[in-house]
Amino acid sequence: MVKGKSTKGRQRIEMKSIEGEEARQVCFSKRRPSLFKKASELSTLCGAEVTVVTFSPGGKCFSFGHPSTSSVADRFLAVHTFDGLSMGSGRHGSQGSSGRSHEMNQQVMELQQLMETEKKRKERAVEALERESGGPVMQLLNANVGALGIHELEELRKELCTVQDMVKERSRKMLEDAMQTRRLPPQSHMHMVAMPSQVLFGAQRVGTREGLLVNSLLHGSLGGLDNYLNGQFGG
Amino acid sequence: MVKGKSTKGRQRIEMKSIEGEEARQVCFSKRRPSLFKKASELSTLCGAEVTVVTFSPGGKCFSFGHPSTSSVADRFLAVHTFDGLSMGSGRHGSQGSSGRSHEMNQQVMELQQLMETEKKRKERAVEALERESGGPVMQLLNANVGALGIHELEELRKELCTVQDMVKERSRKMLEDAMQTRRLPPQSHMHMVAMPSQVLFGAQRVGTREGLLVNSLLHGSLGGLDNYLNGQFGG
DNA sequence: TTCACTATCATTAGCGC
DNA sequence: AGCGCTAATGATAGTGA
């Protein structure tokens, strides 16, 4: 019945790389969930967008994201691919929208809604396979997709990518036109590809909804790789 | 000199979105550095690669990365874009370089090649706008894209997403069929949606090129979301 | 947004399974 | 890689500046 302390309890450790191979693994396995939990709490409590990506010492990949790793990555990309003009502050500073918390909230709400939407997209995709869809484009493609072979699928995918690029390009041009119509300052001379959406939106004060849409068109969906290509995930 | 308690000390809080606009900001400002510190400790102690990206409720972007946000992001992308050629552990599991470094190098080289390809995709897209393309699908869409308004573009984008989902779903079914044809062990009964591509490829030993393609179809492009959908810490 | 303070609450090192 | 246990360290809500 002796209540002798069965363990040494928690002890302070140096912030150096843990020597033992196994001990390091164990430490990672215990701390990683905690890190994700903290990230989750931060997003839940503060309504912030957060993503965490880790590679264990063993090489395994773990990721957390709210609303999703990709969406945060896209937004990060958006900021670091463009941005830079409106606020010259150091580091990564940049407001997704203007500054009014009202617009902000709206943006956050729409993001959450988008999240919900995306969440169900997979389900809907399956349904779409069984029924005939309404969209004109859909109708054209619907019948074919099911019959394609693996190589045809590859071709189709390539074409879809190209089409999406066209959409992106088109939306970009629309913005360009819009800017010139509303007479923009001389600095509009910069490369379109690198043109910061924040600047565009900031200058024109495009409505939140449109802003999100265009942003989505510019980076959306196929986005991920652009991250990589355009450089940054900051670092 | 009375030592009366000057504060209520720490108190437990509900894990709900904090109501007060300002209180949320404050909470974020206090917790964000802590999260980064945790991430830093994880990387230091365990030698793991870690990156964290956050957007404050005010819209500001903050990021942490070890060795750097970009390097971790690159690795993440590499894993989620193709991955799964040589090994098949569960989850996202995937050693960037588990065993044979030879296969690794091959994988890296392919990554770089794909990168180059994607890098030029944007250029090619512009060209595609001027000339008439060859693809049957392209031809159908080519004429229209240029004339659409912002709302129509949104619709088109939605449809494209749905089509891509269909392509994914189709390729998934093809894999399913292929597996049954080649008689797979009973465990193939798990949900297709949650089925790790690594397992599929590991089992069938799909050739690199095909593997890349299928993987690209499954996770590619629209990818990242799968993380979120397939469970994880979805947030 | 950040800094200080302090009384809690939460995390986790070290062990064993 | 994950679970449980215990005790000590670390993080932080509330408050004020």
Side-chain angles (χ1 to χ4, degrees):
Chain A
M1 298 299 284
V2 186
K3 207 179 60 176
K5 296 180 181 180
S6 56
T7 73
K8 287 189 289 185
R10 181 177 183 174
Q11 284 171 37
R12 156 175 267 251
I13 61 172
E14 270 188 294
M15 276 302 294
K16 294 179 178 178
S17 181
I18 296 175
E19 305 257 321
E21 176 69 23
E22 188 178 318
R24 256 197 330 225
Q25 276 282 5
V26 171
C27 180
F28 180 86
S29 295
K30 291 177 98 174
R31 278 173 171 261
R32 200 257 308 163
S34 299
L35 180 64
F36 282 15
K37 187 183 178 187
K38 289 286 183 191
S40 175
E41 291 179 350
L42 185 61
S43 63
T44 300
L45 289 173
C46 311
E49 293 187 27
V50 181
T51 186
V52 182
V53 177
T54 70
F55 283 88
S56 77
K60 276 193 180 178
C61 175
F62 299 87
S63 63
F64 163 84
H66 175 90
S68 75
T69 295
S70 59
S71 71
V72 179
D74 285 347
R75 187 171 171 189
F76 178 83
L77 231 225
V79 171
H80 285 254
T81 299
F82 316 127
D83 176 23
L85 314 216
S86 52
M87 32 223 329
S89 70
R91 296 291 269 192
H92 316 283
S94 102
Q95 262 107 358
S97 59
S98 56
R100 301 298 170 130
S101 53
H102 179 59
E103 290 178 300
M104 258 305 297
N105 284 332
Q106 216 170 358
Q107 206 170 15
V108 170
M109 286 181 64
E110 283 188 287
L111 269 171
Q112 292 176 329
Q113 196 166 12
L114 178 71
M115 182 172 59
E116 284 304 316
T117 302
E118 297 274 18
K119 207 168 188 175
K120 292 169 185 170
R121 202 152 56 76
K122 190 163 284 180
E123 302 174 20
R124 289 189 285 99
V126 178
E127 292 182 85
L129 275 174
E130 338 266 0
R131 70 161 190 242
E132 48 191 17
S133 66
V137 178
M138 289 297 297
Q139 212 144 35
L140 288 168
L141 298 174
N142 207 3
N144 301 318
V145 175
L148 297 177
I150 196 71
H151 295 297
E152 283 103 332
L153 280 175
E154 183 179 29
E155 289 309 310
L156 176 56
R157 181 176 151 275
K158 284 180 182 173
E159 290 178 3
L160 288 176
C161 288
T162 308
V163 172
Q164 281 212 335
D165 282 335
M166 289 171 62
V167 174
K168 288 184 189 177
E169 193 53 34
R170 173 61 187 160
S171 61
R172 203 175 279 126
K173 280 191 192 304
M174 287 181 65
L175 271 181
E176 189 179 17
D177 293 343
M179 285 176 70
Q180 293 185 334
T181 298
R182 308 185 188 188
R183 60 174 168 62
L184 200 83
Q187 45 174 233
S188 67
H189 209 51
M190 55 187 162
H191 293 300
M192 286 306 291
V193 174
M195 183 175 290
S197 58
Q198 283 85 349
V199 176
L200 295 179
F201 301 155
Q204 301 183 219
R205 302 203 176 181
V206 172
T208 296
R209 182 169 165 57
E210 254 96 346
L212 284 179
L213 165 59
V214 175
N215 229 321
S216 183
L217 285 168
L218 291 175
H219 312 132
S221 305
L222 288 171
L225 260 183
D226 289 340
N227 275 357
Y228 184 53
L229 301 176
N230 285 340
Q232 294 353 316
F233 223 99
Chain B
M1 299 307 285
V2 186
K3 207 178 60 177
K5 298 180 181 179
S6 55
T7 73
K8 287 188 289 183
R10 181 178 182 173
Q11 283 170 37
R12 152 175 272 263
I13 60 172
E14 270 188 293
M15 275 303 294
K16 294 179 179 179
S17 181
I18 295 175
E19 306 256 322
E21 176 70 22
E22 188 178 320
R24 262 202 323 232
Q25 277 280 4
V26 172
C27 179
F28 181 86
S29 295
K30 291 176 92 174
R31 278 172 170 260
R32 200 259 308 163
S34 300
L35 179 64
F36 282 15
K37 187 183 178 187
K38 289 285 184 190
S40 173
E41 291 180 349
L42 185 61
S43 64
T44 301
L45 290 172
C46 311
E49 293 187 28
V50 181
T51 188
V52 182
V53 176
T54 69
F55 282 88
S56 75
K60 275 192 180 178
C61 175
F62 299 88
S63 64
F64 163 84
H66 176 89
S68 75
T69 297
S70 59
S71 68
V72 179
D74 289 350
R75 193 173 168 187
F76 176 81
L77 275 186
V79 170
H80 285 257
T81 302
F82 343 86
D83 170 25
L85 313 206
S86 48
M87 59 311 246
S89 45
R91 287 292 256 202
H92 289 308
S94 95
Q95 275 92 346
S97 67
S98 77
R100 307 299 165 121
S101 53
H102 178 61
E103 288 178 300
M104 243 313 286
N105 287 332
Q106 213 170 0
Q107 207 173 11
V108 170
M109 287 181 63
E110 282 187 289
L111 238 180
Q112 293 176 328
Q113 196 166 13
L114 178 74
M115 186 171 53
E116 283 304 315
T117 302
E118 296 276 13
K119 207 167 189 174
K120 292 170 184 167
R121 200 155 55 78
K122 192 163 284 180
E123 301 176 21
R124 288 187 286 97
V126 177
E127 293 180 78
L129 274 174
E130 333 274 283
R131 70 161 190 243
E132 47 190 18
S133 65
V137 178
M138 288 298 296
Q139 213 143 32
L140 287 169
L141 298 174
N142 206 3
N144 301 319
V145 176
L148 298 177
I150 197 71
H151 294 298
E152 282 98 335
L153 280 174
E154 183 179 30
E155 288 309 310
L156 177 56
R157 181 176 151 275
K158 285 181 182 173
E159 291 180 2
L160 287 176
C161 288
T162 308
V163 173
Q164 281 211 336
D165 283 333
M166 289 171 63
V167 174
K168 286 186 189 177
E169 192 54 33
R170 174 59 187 159
S171 61
R172 202 175 280 125
K173 282 192 191 303
M174 289 182 64
L175 272 181
E176 190 178 18
D177 293 343
M179 285 176 72
Q180 292 185 333
T181 298
R182 307 184 188 188
R183 57 170 171 64
L184 201 82
Q187 45 172 236
S188 66
H189 210 51
M190 54 184 162
H191 292 301
M192 287 305 291
V193 174
M195 182 177 293
S197 56
Q198 285 88 344
V199 176
L200 294 178
F201 300 154
Q204 300 184 223
R205 303 202 176 185
V206 174
T208 297
R209 184 173 161 56
E210 256 95 348
L212 286 177
L213 164 59
V214 176
N215 228 322
S216 183
L217 287 169
L218 289 176
H219 313 121
S221 307
L222 288 171
L225 218 33
D226 288 342
N227 264 356
Y228 183 55
L229 300 175
N230 284 341
Q232 279 288 347
F233 242 87

